[in-house]
Amino acid sequence: MSATELHWVKSSYSSGPDPGDCLEVAHTPATIHVRDSKTPATAHVTVASATWESFLAYVTE
């Protein structure tokens, strides 16, 4: 699936004084995609859903 086919959602934590500073996330059943809203649509990081869940568990401890 290409980045343009994904449904990108702005993080609720990306609401600082500069509206251009946003983290966006898109997900499929098997993967999570993360990008900076200022980067081109093709510049993003893709990780397995299980990896993302492990990351979130680690940073929210």
Side-chain angles (χ1 to χ4, degrees), residues 31-54:
T31 57
I32 302 295
H33 309 265
V34 182
R35 72 179 182 184
D36 183 323
S37 64
K38 296 182 298 259
T39 61
T42 58
H44 67 278
V45 175
T46 302
V47 296
S49 294
T51 302
W52 184 252
E53 289 173 13
S54 294

Side-chain angles (χ1 to χ4, degrees), residues 11-26:
S11 168
S12 61
Y13 291 98
S14 296
S15 59
D18 184 357
D21 293 335
C22 300
L23 179 70
E24 296 178 325
V25 178

